[in-house]
Amino acid sequence: MATDTHTTSEESTGFLTERRADLARRAGFHALLWSLIAIVLSPVLWMFIVSVNQIGFQSFIDDPAAWAAGADFSAYFRVWYESDFPYWFRNSLIVSLGATALSIGVCTLGAYSIGRLRYKGRTAMATFLLITQMFPAVLLAIPLFLVFQDLGLVNSLSGLVIAYVAFTLPFAIWMLRGFYENLPQSLEEAAMIDGSTRLGAVVRVILPLSAPAIATTAIFTWVLAWNEFIFALVLINDSQQQTLPPGMGEWVGQFALNWDMLMAGAIGATLPMLIVFFLLQNYIVKGLAEGAVKS
C-alpha cells in the first residue's frame, strides 16, 4: 500500500514537473515572440510619436509619457491640405498599380517559359535576369533618362511605369519561376493527353494552381514600385507628377527638417501596404509555402 502511494506521488510529481516545464517553455516562447514584435513595431511607434510631438529621444527616455501632453495632429493636416502629398499619393498609386499589372502579365508567361520549358539558352536567360538585379539603380537611371528624353517620356507617369516594369520584371520572374519548377509535369501532360494544347493547359490548369504564387509576386512587386526612389527622382521634375518617396524628400531642407511632416507622411505612405498585407496575408503565406515545397 505504501509502495502504491509512493509510486502515485512520484507520478504526480513527474506530471507536475513536466507541466511546469511545458508552461515555462510556452512563457519563454511568447516572451521572445512579443519582444521581437515590440522591436519590429518600435520604429512605427516612434514615427507616430514624432508626428504628433517633435520630442527628443532622450526626453522620451527620461519621461515616456510626457509626449502625450503636447501632442497635436496639425502635421497630418498640413501634409494633406498644405502640401502636394495627395498628388504624390495618387501618382504612386497609379504608377505602382500600372507597373505591377504589366509586370505580372509578362512575368507569368516569362517565368513559365524559364521554369517549365526545356530549350537552349534558358539558363543563360535566367542568369542574365539575375545579373540585372546586381546593378545599382542610380547606374541605370542616367542612361534611362537619356533614352526617355529622346522618346519624350521624361516627366510623365507612363514613362515611370515603363521604367518600373524594367526594374521589377526580373524580380517577379525569379520569384514565380521557383513555383512553376515545383509543379508536377504530369499536370500539363494529362491536359494535353485529353486534347488540350500547351497554351490551353497553361490557362486551364497551371494558372489556377498558381493563383496564390501570382498574388504573392504581385504584392511584392507592388511594394517594390511603391517604395522606389531613384527612378522617380531622376525621371520626374514636376512636383505634382512626383511620387511619394522623392516628393517627401522635398521636406528635407538645407538647414532644418520637418520631422513631424516627414513622420506623418511616412505613416500615410505605409498605411496602404499595411492594409494590403493584412487583407491578403493568407495568399502571401500560401504562396510562399507552396513555392518552398518540392513536389
Side-chain angles (χ1 to χ4, degrees):
M1 186 67 177
T3 305
D4 293 342
T5 305
H6 182 67
T7 303
T8 304
S9 177
E10 284 183 348
E11 289 176 351
S12 177
T13 304
F15 174 74
L16 290 176
T17 304
E18 184 178 349
R19 186 177 180 185
R20 287 175 181 172
D22 185 53
L23 289 174
R25 282 194 294 270
R26 290 185 181 183
F29 172 75
H30 284 287
L32 177 63
L33 180 65
W34 284 106
S35 298
L36 292 175
I37 291 175
I39 292 173
V40 170
L41 293 181
S42 58
V44 180
L45 175 63
W46 184 245
M47 284 165 57
F48 174 74
I49 290 173
V50 175
S51 70
V52 298
N53 188 348
Q54 297 189 64
I55 189 173
F57 187 71
Q58 187 58 48
S59 302
F60 177 76
I61 295 296
D62 295 338
D63 188 0
W67 66 273
D72 71 88
F73 292 87
S74 61
Y76 291 90
F77 180 86
R78 283 183 283 128
V79 163
W80 191 258
Y81 292 105
E82 298 178 5
S83 74
D84 288 333
F85 185 87
Y87 296 105
W88 304 335
F89 191 93
R90 180 203 62 185
N91 297 336
S92 285
L93 207 58
I94 293 172
V95 171
S96 58
L97 289 178
T100 300
L102 288 175
S103 291
I104 293 302
V106 176
C107 90
T108 300
L109 297 179
Y112 176 83
S113 171
I114 294 176
R116 306 286 286 179
L117 304 180
R118 298 292 179 265
Y119 54 88
K120 191 174 182 180
R122 180 177 67 97
T123 304
M125 177 63 71
T127 306
F128 173 74
L129 291 174
L130 184 63
I131 290 174
T132 61
Q133 297 296 289
M134 299 177 183
F135 292 99
V138 68
L139 288 182
L140 304 175
I142 302 303
L144 206 59
F145 172 81
L146 297 175
V147 173
F148 277 25
Q149 192 175 36
D150 293 337
L151 297 175
L153 293 174
V154 172
N155 218 26
S156 71
L157 296 182
S158 56
L160 202 56
V161 169
I162 295 172
Y164 281 3
V165 170
F167 169 66
T168 58
L169 190 57
F171 164 80
I173 289 177
W174 263 90
M175 189 168 180
L176 202 54
R177 172 201 178 195
F179 177 80
Y180 283 139
E181 286 181 337
N182 292 336
L183 285 178
Q185 293 285 346
S186 56
L187 291 172
E188 294 148 290
E189 293 172 357
M192 294 170 72
I193 288 174
D194 289 340
S196 176
T197 62
R198 178 171 288 277
L199 182 60
V202 171
V203 173
R204 296 187 185 92
V205 179
I206 300 300
L207 290 184
L209 290 173
S210 311
I214 293 174
T216 305
T217 305
I219 292 168
F220 281 96
T221 302
W222 176 73
V223 170
L224 274 179
W226 182 266
N227 291 328
E228 203 285 327
F229 177 80
I230 297 295
F231 289 158
L233 179 68
V234 173
L235 298 177
I236 302 292
N237 297 319
D238 184 0
S239 177
Q240 293 190 354
Q241 295 292 320
Q242 285 283 17
T243 55
L244 282 168
M248 288 193 295
E250 295 179 1
W251 294 338
V252 180
Q254 184 176 3
F255 302 105
L257 293 173
N258 295 316
W259 283 114
D260 54 345
M261 292 183 66
L262 278 172
M263 295 299 106
I267 289 177
T270 307
L271 280 179
M273 285 189 288
L274 291 178
I275 293 172
V276 167
F277 274 95
F278 178 76
L279 293 178
L280 302 179
Q281 55 182 317
N282 291 335
Y283 286 97
I284 296 173
V285 173
K286 192 175 180 181
L288 292 176
E290 288 182 351
V293 176
K294 188 74 173 177
S295 300

